[in-house]
Amino acid sequence: MVETIRVNLKVNGKQYVLDIPPDERLIDTLRYRLGFTSIKEGCGRGECGSCIVLVNGLPRHSCLTLTATLDGAEILTVEGLAPEGKLHAIQVAFLETRGVQCGFCTPAFMLLTKALLDKTLDPSDEEIKQWLASAICRCGSYHYYFKAVRKAAEYLKKGKILFDEKEVRKNLYKLPLLR
Amino acid sequence: MKPLAGGTELLLLIRDRRIPTPKYLLDLNAIRKELSYVKLEEDKVRIGAATTLYELSQSILHKDKRYAGFVDVFYGFATMAMRFYATIGGNILSATQYNDYLTLLTVYEPELVLVSKQGERRLTLEQLVLDKRKLAIRPDELLKEIIISVPPENTSSSFMKFDRRRILIAGVVTGAVLLTLNDNVIEDVKISFDMIREKRVPGRARKTEEFLQGKELSEEVVEEAAEEILPSEMERMSDWWTTGEYRLDMSKVVLKRNIFRAARRIRGEK
Ligand SMILES: Cc1cc2nc3c(=O)[nH]c(=O)nc-3n(C[C@H](O)[C@H](O)[C@H](O)COP(=O)(O)OP(=O)(O)OC[C@H]3O[C@@H](n4cnc5c(N)ncnc54)[C@H](O)[C@@H]3O)c2cc1C
Ligand code: FES
Ligand code: FES
């Protein structure tokens, strides 16, 4: 077996040159080599979707991907959605719909939302369901997440992409509960 | 050595130690661009082996009613996220009764183009897929292309998968039908199921096809095909998931619904 394979990866906008054992999974590279711990391992076999990241803009299970096959790829995790002190419209929408319960699944759902809204800001109900069904939420936040997708689309349509984190947090408590 | 396409089958087989860990994986990513396409050429549709299911969904296969079964398979396949990188070639070569594109393609009687340093050879699905995970492909060969003939105008297909949930299922019964109608006469019909008997890979219900061929399409004829003819050529297994009896019953239901859905699609009805 080859000892390591050199891989050029762009993760959240930053370029990395990594020497990776050929059998290393993307989830392990991201979590343990690079420290992006938003990605979670649930099942390790493509079923739960907790490990979904975006590879070249499309959802991908990082538990079923070998890093060595990704030379030249661009990867996005939620850590890369907005710079320090800012929140992305998708994060704001997820906060405001108060869908997040334990939060284990939330990064995957946000990234699914990102990839869907990159394709269209007017997804049909059925499309939203198809996409969100890629991940499992143990706490049952699906209906909140569904609303969050619509809300994020509204912000993005108005050109509102980045929000000031402090402002968002301050106003969060004044918002009525969504039903 | 094993070629690695989407990896959604191969990496799990390795992980679960269902196959000996291959010494080498051959990453097909480097040639993925050349191997992913859906091209309509005169009377043939050519599908590159490394075409992802999402790419299939963006092609003619999801726009023309003659390939409607592809839409059915797509929306029942794993989850949306997986459809972006699982490939059609990987589906065929996984070679189990749970491979939905394999079940569907069985009714389209495709030609499969294999390449190696020695050149190309062409096989039918039956010549390529011998039994569960038993293939006629040599270790030095790659699957390059899947070729299907453009069906006649008054043709459509339908695919159905039954299990206890709607998605993320292997399907305790799956089946496909490719139907050509002339007015209301069954000019041609091809029927496949995840299993017919013995071989644990998708197969054709040929007796049932023969029975239906040339007959006027009606409730009675389809009822007789499903209740009388199909059981005479089908032997269903019982396993941990369900009984053979239930599988046979559901196979009849799948057959009936597939035929009538394909017929509605031919007529442009919902
Ligand atoms: C959670 C989950 C859900 C699933 N749901 C479904 C489902 O609903 N329906 C279904 O049909 N399947 C399903 N599958 C099975 C699997 O995803 C499919 O069979 C998929 O199409 C395999 O494609 P792949 O590109 O990932 O194949 P890989 O895993 O990359 O390859 C599969 C096999 O084919 C070989 N191979 C691949 N391409 C080539 C080539 N061009 N030439 C030579 N050999 C090649 C590989 O060496 C390997 O032996 C599911 C899998 C998972 C993990
Ligand atoms: S951990 Fe990857 S899908 Fe569950
Ligand atoms: S919020 Fe807990 S798993 Fe989804």
Side-chain angles (χ1 to χ4, degrees):
Chain A
M1 191 167 92
V2 214
E3 295 288 291
T4 60
I5 292 179
R6 176 148 297 185
V7 183
N8 290 281
L9 271 191
K10 202 177 200 178
V11 185
N12 298 332
K14 193 174 160 203
Q15 196 67 50
Y16 296 86
V17 182
L18 304 168
D19 291 312
I20 302 271
D23 60 353
E24 182 169 309
R25 303 175 307 164
L26 178 61
I27 188 167
D28 300 322
T29 307
L30 291 173
R31 282 184 67 86
Y32 303 119
R33 217 175 263 277
L34 305 179
F36 295 110
T37 49
S38 65
I39 305 119
K40 307 296 196 303
E41 179 155 7
C43 62
R45 47 189 313 117
E47 289 170 16
C48 72
S50 308
C51 67
I52 286 173
V53 298
L54 302 191
V55 175
N56 298 327
L58 296 176
R60 177 119 191 196
H61 301 95
S62 59
C63 72
L64 279 185
T65 304
L66 296 180
T67 309
T69 64
L70 292 182
D71 190 36
E74 272 189 45
I75 290 163
L76 184 75
T77 71
V78 279
E79 285 92 338
L81 275 178
E84 201 61 38
K86 301 271 181 209
L87 289 177
H88 188 277
I90 293 172
Q91 293 170 302
V92 175
F94 271 67
L95 279 171
E96 290 179 347
T97 47
R98 294 195 166 92
V100 182
Q101 296 185 63
C102 78
F104 191 88
C105 67
T106 315
F109 278 100
M110 284 187 180
L111 292 173
L112 287 164
T113 305
K114 172 85 170 66
L116 171 59
L117 296 183
D118 282 348
K119 286 200 181 291
T120 169
L121 289 177
D122 281 305
S124 67
D125 286 0
E126 186 49 38
E127 256 177 305
I128 300 178
K129 285 182 192 165
Q130 279 283 336
W131 282 66
L132 294 191
S134 298
I136 291 174
C137 173
R138 177 68 179 76
C139 305
S141 299
Y142 303 107
H143 53 308
Y144 296 113
Y145 289 165
F146 185 91
K147 288 195 175 108
V149 176
R150 285 258 178 263
K151 187 148 202 198
E154 289 314 314
Y155 283 139
L156 293 172
K157 268 191 220 167
K158 289 182 197 144
K160 292 202 227 167
I161 302 170
L162 292 179
F163 292 66
D164 186 73
E165 184 172 353
K166 282 210 185 91
E167 282 301 304
V168 174
R169 288 196 184 281
K170 213 162 62 199
N171 294 328
L172 209 54
Y173 301 99
K174 298 178 199 153
L175 283 175
L177 273 175
L178 278 192
R179 301 165 56 69
Chain B
M1 201 279 300
K2 283 265 179 195
L4 176 73
T8 61
E9 171 80 9
L10 185 55
L11 294 181
L12 278 184
L13 290 177
I14 297 171
R15 185 196 142 108
D16 295 345
R17 303 193 190 285
R18 302 268 282 280
I19 57 168
T21 305
K23 190 146 181 250
Y24 296 103
L25 292 180
L26 179 73
D27 179 15
L28 295 182
N29 265 311
I31 51 170
R32 218 190 73 73
K33 281 220 171 75
E34 287 111 278
L35 280 187
S36 52
Y37 52 82
V38 180
K39 288 183 204 155
L40 181 61
E41 278 172 13
E42 286 165 45
D43 56 346
K44 304 276 182 221
V45 183
R46 313 171 83 92
I47 308 169
T51 310
T52 65
L53 312 183
Y54 179 73
E55 287 162 344
L56 293 183
S57 79
Q58 301 298 299
S59 77
I60 173 93
L61 297 174
H62 277 227
K63 291 181 190 93
D64 185 324
K65 70 166 190 304
R66 285 174 286 188
Y67 314 105
F70 280 86
V71 181
D72 299 331
V73 174
F74 182 80
Y75 285 106
F77 186 97
T79 61
M80 193 64 207
M82 198 164 281
R83 299 172 204 155
F84 287 111
Y85 65 102
T87 67
I88 185 159
N91 197 271
I92 295 171
L93 296 172
S94 298
T96 73
Q97 71 271 41
Y98 304 119
N99 292 110
D100 299 337
Y101 282 95
L102 185 53
T103 306
L104 176 69
L105 282 168
T106 299
V107 295
Y108 282 93
E109 300 184 325
E111 257 191 311
L112 302 138
V113 185
L114 304 177
V115 281
S116 68
K117 277 211 305 223
Q118 274 90 56
E120 282 189 8
R121 58 181 185 129
R122 289 171 181 229
L123 298 182
T124 64
L125 259 188
E126 269 153 7
Q127 289 167 334
L128 175 69
V129 181
L130 306 173
D131 207 334
K132 188 168 185 176
R133 299 204 178 102
K134 267 183 70 184
L135 293 152
I137 189 169
R138 298 193 309 258
D140 67 333
E141 281 179 318
L142 285 179
L143 177 62
K144 179 183 150 196
E145 195 172 69
I146 301 131
I147 305 176
I148 56 185
S149 302
V150 173
E153 194 49 56
N154 44 339
T155 300
S156 190
S157 61
S158 171
F159 167 90
M160 246 173 235
K161 164 152 100 171
F162 273 117
D163 205 327
R164 281 162 285 185
R165 296 190 304 267
R166 243 184 67 198
I167 57 163
L168 268 183
I169 48 174
V172 296
V173 171
T174 60
V177 159
L178 181 68
L179 180 72
T180 305
L181 286 182
N182 186 354
D183 280 330
N184 202 36
V185 175
I186 301 173
E187 199 169 281
D188 198 5
V189 63
K190 308 250 165 39
I191 300 166
S192 71
F193 283 96
D194 52 317
M195 267 182 80
I196 300 290
R197 65 200 308 162
E198 288 161 14
K199 285 190 190 177
R200 298 163 74 110
V201 283
R204 293 264 294 275
R206 293 192 192 271
K207 273 195 191 169
T208 314
E209 292 174 3
E210 271 165 39
F211 169 81
L212 286 165
Q213 209 88 28
K215 293 215 165 64
E216 179 96 12
L217 178 66
S218 69
E219 292 276 349
E220 294 73 38
V221 158
V222 175
E223 192 67 22
E224 190 178 344
E227 297 298 330
E228 307 298 328
I229 317 295
L230 184 64
S232 75
E233 62 176 329
M234 183 174 256
E235 214 168 283
R236 282 297 202 167
M237 285 188 335
S238 294
D239 60 12
W240 191 83
W241 300 101
T242 187
T243 61
E245 193 188 355
Y246 179 75
R247 280 201 169 91
L248 181 60
D249 248 12
M250 292 313 282
S251 303
K252 296 176 188 172
V253 173
V254 167
L255 177 63
K256 291 184 227 174
R257 289 192 189 169
N258 268 339
I259 290 178
F260 287 117
R261 184 156 76 172
R264 285 197 302 278
R265 286 170 171 171
I266 293 170
R267 299 190 194 107
E269 301 162 9
K270 247 293 171 195

